[in-house]
């Protein structure tokens, strides 16, 4: 606003030296101020180039606010506490009244821009801070990226409930008339302590609870200083992120580097084929079949389904099963099951989702629209009727892929969704399978199940085939893991790629764009001409494929030596 007013004055009096000098000083003060603020934010939150561009764009937007709004245009953006304690001399270009006036407005613009930026990027900024705060551990770039993603996922599960219980976001009434009890303690600090006690998950949280309880009951506690704490846009989420990192996600990341989410070959293909385009249900409603007529799964009433569900299953529901919503659901489900397994939870296969289908859509990334909610209902219904069967160590077993119960919201009780995965879709299932000969070789093979890659194009109809295409590529890599051990990747020429794309129902027109984007963003690595491997975005899956390739090569070499020895004996 100030710059616009100065330029208006200049347009009226173009030759006024004093006005020109004011504009010059403002621009130099602005440049220095922005450089310092961006630098400070980069050090604390590890901002990337895109973050900086967005932040500067928000700053520019705040600076260009309509002058008719006046200062009230910034009423919802309080001046950041950092500017209240910091001596202005540290940020002045020159110690002149013009620079001091400019600095005051720049602080308002930055407070506006940063609070908008923090709100938009709350999870990622808090996760980066939580990992970096007092952390001396050095991560490789791909491991750091995985750690941030895992902490973001964890925060998305826990933070909404925490903020609701504590009473965030704050409104202006908090600052006008903050609630303070007879002992001089802010009500919001008491709610924060209560929530932490109810969600105590580890040693670091216990220590923090003890220290915070001691602090609010000490003479050092000052409610006015605590109000400044709550004024900082990310104060609470940063604390939660750091505690979740130290007590939960750090251990998860360490373990994930040695263990990748995966399914045995049979069930990887069953779930993958279930989510491909062109699937349908036969007239008798007894089988799920592919476009080519291949039987993907039996459909039948077993203990996990009911007659009402069987009656609801229609051919139109199959379209939802092969939608991008289905891919988001299944990827989240397997990733979360593996995560709960690595964190030693008692029932890693079980999910109790407060908020029902809407909350599930938020967690898995499918969205919270009515359409996404209805699709998730249909996907879970038909999946609960899909049957598995396998040859175990002690016989043949069959059942439902999953079972579920859904409860609608009633009174003050929120809606609820409970999902249980069948044993074949859980970590450690391979131990139930027979071993010892080539007949069961594929059955015991574990294929990594990765997170969703980036999706190309705005047309959502093209997204599901891209997800299927990536899963098919991963399956090919696992089958040919020995090639990965020998030359770093598998050979897929143009004809091979088109064949895989055709199986995934991916348009050939999109194929090159998808491959180029995935290679550029490290979802896929091109080792050499026509040699491909999963990219650095999937460090645990890459490690799993390399280990599988090494073991396959060693097993093959051992078999050759045994055959040669036997041949010599016979001679």
């Amino acid at each position: 606003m100030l710059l616009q007013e100065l330029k208006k004055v200049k347009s009226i009096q173009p030759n006024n030296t004093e006005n020109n000098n004011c504009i010059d000083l403002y621009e130099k003060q602005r440049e220095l101020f922005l450089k310092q603020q961006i630098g400070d934010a980069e050090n604390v939150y590890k901002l990337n180039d895109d973050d900086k561009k967005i932040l500067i764009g928000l700053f520019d937007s705040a600076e260009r606010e309509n002058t008719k709004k006046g200062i009230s245009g910034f009423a919802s953006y309080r001046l950041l506490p950092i500017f209240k304690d910091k001596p202005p001399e540290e940020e002045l270009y020159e110690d002149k009244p013009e620079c001091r006036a400019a600095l005051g407005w720049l602080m308002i613009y930055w407070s506006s821009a940063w609070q908008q930026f923090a709100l938009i990027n709350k999870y990622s900024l808090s996760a980066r801070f939580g990992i970096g705060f007092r952390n001396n551990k050095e991560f490789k770039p791909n491991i750091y990226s995985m750690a941030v993603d895992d902490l973001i996922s964890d925060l998305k599960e826990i933070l909404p409930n925490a903020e609701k219980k504590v009473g965030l976001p704050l409104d202006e009434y908090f600052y006008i008339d903050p609630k303070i009890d007879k002992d001089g303690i802010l009500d919001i600090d008491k709610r924060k302590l209560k929530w932490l006690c109810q969600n105590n998950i580890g040693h670091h949280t216990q220590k923090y609870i003890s220290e915070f309880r001691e602090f609010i009951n000490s003479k050092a506690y000052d409610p006015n200083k605590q109000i400044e704490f709550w004024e900082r846009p990310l104060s609470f989420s940063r604390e939660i992120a750091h505690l979740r990192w130290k007590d939960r996600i750090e251990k998860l990341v360490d373990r994930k580097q040695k263990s990748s989410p995966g399914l045995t070959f049979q069930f990887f293909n069953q779930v993958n084929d279930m989510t491909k385009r062109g699937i349908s249900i036969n007239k008798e409603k007894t089988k799920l079949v592919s476009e080519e007529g291949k039987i993907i799964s039996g459909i039948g009433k077993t203990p996990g389904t009911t007659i009402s569900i069987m009656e609801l299953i229609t051919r139109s529901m199959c379209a939802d099963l092969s939608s991008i919503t289905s891919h988001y659901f299944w990827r989240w489900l397997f990733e979360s099951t593996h995560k709960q397994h690595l964190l030693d939870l008692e029932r890693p296969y079980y999910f109790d989702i407060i908020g029902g289908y809407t909350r599930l859509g938020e967690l898995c990334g499918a969205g919270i629209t009515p359409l996404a909610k209805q699709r998730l209902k249909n996907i879970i219904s038909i999946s609960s009727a899909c049957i598995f069967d396998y040859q175990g160590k002690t016989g043949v077993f069959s059942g439902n892929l999953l079972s579920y119960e859904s409860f609608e919201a009633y009174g003050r009780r929120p809606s609820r969704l409970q999902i249980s995965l069948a044993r074949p879709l859980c970590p450690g299932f391979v131990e139930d399978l027979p071993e010892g000969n080539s007949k069961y070789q594929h059955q015991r093979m574990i294929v990594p199940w990765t997170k969703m890659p980036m999706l190309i194009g705005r047309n959502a109809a093209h997204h599901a085939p891209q997800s299927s295409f990536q899963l098919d590529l991963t399956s090919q890599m696992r089958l040919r893991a020995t090639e990965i051990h020998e030359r770093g990747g598998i050979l897929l020429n143009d004809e091979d790629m088109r064949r895989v794309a055709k199986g995934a129902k991916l348009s050939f027109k999109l194929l090159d764009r998808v491959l180029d984007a995935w290679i550029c963003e490290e979802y896929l690595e091109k080792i050499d001409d026509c040699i491909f491997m999963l990219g650095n975005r999937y460090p645990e899956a890459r490690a799993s494929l390399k280990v599988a390739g090494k073991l396959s090569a060693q097993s093959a070499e051992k078999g050759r030596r045994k055959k040669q020895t036997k041949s010599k004996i016979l001679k």
Side-chain angles (χ1 to χ4, degrees):
M1 290 186 289
L2 178 60
L3 182 59
Q4 283 87 337
E5 293 299 328
L6 289 172
K7 288 182 176 180
K8 280 183 181 180
V9 173
K10 182 180 178 180
S11 65
I12 298 170
Q13 300 175 326
N15 298 321
N16 189 311
T17 305
E18 187 176 344
N19 290 339
N20 292 340
N21 186 50
C22 283
I23 293 175
D24 183 56
L25 285 174
Y26 177 87
E27 290 177 340
K28 289 177 178 177
Q29 179 62 63
R30 181 185 190 276
E31 182 181 357
L32 175 64
F33 177 82
L34 265 184
K35 182 179 179 182
Q36 290 178 336
Q37 299 310 314
I38 294 288
D40 290 345
E42 183 178 14
N43 290 335
V44 175
Y45 297 104
K46 296 185 181 294
L47 301 184
N48 56 39
D49 290 340
D50 288 338
D51 291 331
K52 294 175 191 176
K53 289 176 183 177
I54 293 170
L55 192 47
I56 291 172
L58 291 171
F59 181 87
D60 292 341
S61 178
E63 189 179 38
R64 291 193 300 268
E65 282 286 338
N66 191 333
T67 55
K68 291 181 181 179
K69 290 184 179 180
I71 190 64
S72 64
F74 295 93
S76 60
Y77 300 105
R78 301 175 63 83
L79 196 66
L80 295 174
I82 188 174
F83 295 132
K84 298 176 183 179
D85 302 326
K86 200 169 186 179
E89 289 76 14
E90 294 182 12
E91 299 186 356
L92 284 174
Y93 175 73
E94 288 184 20
D95 193 2
K96 293 183 177 181
E98 296 92 332
C99 290
R100 288 180 177 272
L103 183 59
W105 282 102
L106 291 169
M107 288 177 178
I108 294 174
Y109 303 150
W110 181 262
S111 297
S112 170
W114 179 257
Q115 293 192 53
Q116 289 185 66
F117 182 75
L119 181 64
I120 296 167
N121 301 283
K122 174 174 60 178
Y123 294 111
S124 60
L125 293 175
S126 299
R128 293 175 199 168
F129 178 87
I131 294 172
F133 183 62
R134 294 178 183 172
N135 184 27
N136 297 320
K137 186 183 290 187
E138 290 293 329
F139 291 105
K140 293 179 180 178
N142 57 338
I143 302 300
Y144 177 77
S145 177
M146 179 178 72
V148 170
D149 287 344
D150 283 325
L151 185 51
I152 288 173
S153 297
D154 189 72
L155 288 175
K156 285 182 177 179
E157 289 183 31
I158 198 73
L159 200 53
N161 172 264
E163 291 179 332
K164 181 179 179 181
K165 296 295 184 182
V166 170
L168 298 178
L170 298 173
D171 55 29
E172 285 298 315
Y173 291 106
F174 172 81
Y175 303 103
I176 296 170
D177 184 24
K179 293 182 180 179
I180 303 175
D181 69 8
K182 58 183 177 61
D183 297 319
I185 300 172
L186 282 173
D187 185 58
I188 193 170
D189 281 334
K190 291 164 63 178
R191 292 198 299 269
K192 169 185 165 182
L193 180 61
K194 181 180 179 181
W195 184 87
L196 286 168
C197 291
Q198 292 174 343
N199 293 272
N200 181 0
I201 60 165
H203 168 71
H204 289 85
T205 306
Q206 291 171 7
K207 183 181 177 183
Y208 181 81
I209 289 171
S210 177
E211 291 174 350
F212 188 65
R213 182 183 284 117
E214 184 179 343
F215 167 66
I216 64 175
N217 291 306
S218 70
K219 292 181 179 179
Y221 181 84
D222 182 351
N224 293 318
K225 286 289 184 183
Q226 281 302 103
I227 289 174
E228 288 189 8
F229 167 85
W230 290 105
E231 279 185 297
R232 301 183 191 112
L234 299 172
S235 56
F236 182 64
S237 59
R238 292 193 332 182
E239 281 189 342
I240 299 302
H242 177 62
L243 294 174
R244 300 292 289 190
W245 168 252
K246 296 305 295 182
D247 280 338
R248 186 180 176 93
I249 306 302
E250 187 174 24
K251 177 174 71 174
L252 173 66
V253 171
D254 287 340
R255 290 184 174 183
K256 279 183 73 173
Q257 293 179 57
K258 304 171 186 176
S259 174
S260 169
L263 295 177
T264 54
F265 189 77
Q266 173 188 344
F267 294 103
F268 181 97
N269 285 338
Q270 181 173 350
V271 175
N272 185 18
D273 290 343
M274 278 170 52
T275 57
K276 287 182 178 178
R277 281 186 175 179
I279 60 169
S280 60
I281 193 167
N282 63 359
K283 292 180 180 179
E284 294 79 16
K285 294 186 179 180
T286 57
K287 288 181 175 61
L288 201 64
V289 295
S290 70
E291 196 173 35
E292 295 77 22
K294 173 186 172 184
I295 297 174
I296 296 171
S297 172
I299 298 288
K301 183 183 178 304
T302 58
T305 59
T306 63
I307 294 174
S308 59
I309 289 176
M310 296 297 295
E311 291 173 347
L312 284 171
I313 294 175
T314 62
R315 292 188 179 187
S316 62
M317 289 175 67
C318 293
D320 290 333
L321 194 58
S322 58
S323 68
I324 189 60
T325 303
S326 182
H327 285 264
Y328 277 119
F329 167 70
W330 284 107
R331 291 199 188 231
W332 173 82
L333 197 61
F334 294 136
E335 177 76 17
S336 298
T337 303
H338 186 68
K339 173 182 174 181
Q340 293 183 166
H341 169 68
L342 293 181
L343 291 172
D344 301 321
L345 297 193
E346 186 177 353
R347 295 190 293 171
Y349 55 84
Y350 176 76
F351 299 87
D352 188 3
I353 303 168
I354 308 298
Y357 293 102
T358 301
R359 179 63 175 151
L360 174 60
E362 186 179 8
L363 290 173
C364 73
I368 57 174
T369 63
L371 176 60
K373 180 179 176 180
Q374 186 58 49
R375 279 181 171 174
L376 286 169
K377 280 185 177 181
N378 292 343
I379 290 161
I380 292 174
S381 292
I382 195 169
S383 298
S384 71
C386 289
I387 297 173
F388 69 81
D389 60 80
Y390 68 91
Q391 173 69 54
K393 289 181 178 179
T394 58
V396 177
F397 299 88
S398 64
N400 295 90
L401 288 179
L402 60 84
S403 59
Y404 78 102
E405 283 189 279
S406 176
F407 306 93
E408 294 296 328
Y410 178 75
R412 292 186 178 181
R413 294 181 181 179
S415 56
R416 196 168 197 155
L417 177 64
Q418 296 172 338
I419 301 174
S420 291
L421 277 180
R423 174 63 179 156
L425 305 184
C426 295
F429 167 68
V430 70
E431 297 169 6
D432 296 352
L433 299 176
E435 53 185 296
N437 59 49
S438 58
K439 177 182 178 181
Y440 302 112
Q441 185 178 0
H442 275 185
Q443 187 169 318
R444 291 181 58 83
M445 184 181 291
I446 297 177
V447 186
W449 192 277
T450 60
K451 290 184 178 180
M452 186 77 75
M454 69 181 301
L455 302 172
I456 308 304
R458 295 182 180 181
N459 189 344
H462 294 153
H463 291 170
Q466 292 176 48
S467 178
S468 297
F469 177 63
Q470 194 236 25
L471 293 176
D472 284 349
L473 284 177
T474 306
S475 178
Q476 285 292 311
M477 289 174 186
R478 179 59 188 91
L479 282 171
R480 298 160 61 182
T482 306
E483 284 186 54
I484 294 173
H485 174 68
E486 293 172 348
R487 55 186 174 188
I490 65 171
L491 174 64
L492 291 168
N493 58 30
D494 291 346
E495 185 179 343
D496 294 329
M497 276 294 187
R498 289 170 75 89
R499 185 169 60 251
V500 177
K502 182 179 180 181
K505 310 297 188 294
L506 176 64
S507 168
F508 293 159
K509 294 179 181 179
L510 269 179
L511 180 58
D512 288 340
R513 283 179 59 197
V514 168
L515 291 175
D516 289 343
W518 287 359
I519 292 168
C520 181
E521 296 296 328
E522 297 190 321
Y523 290 96
L524 190 67
E525 182 180 6
K526 191 173 184 179
I527 307 293
D528 202 347
D529 190 29
C530 298
I531 306 294
F532 295 91
M533 172 61 167
L534 282 181
N536 287 322
R537 294 266 184 170
Y538 305 117
E540 68 275 30
R542 281 170 60 92
S544 171
L545 290 171
K546 289 177 180 179
V547 169
K550 182 178 180 180
L551 292 175
S552 295
Q554 290 174 347
S555 178
E557 179 62 24
K558 185 178 179 181
R560 281 193 294 269
R561 289 179 181 177
K562 187 175 181 180
K563 189 175 181 180
Q564 288 174 357
T565 303
K566 186 176 181 180
S567 178
K568 288 180 181 178
I569 292 172
L570 291 174
K571 288 181 179 179

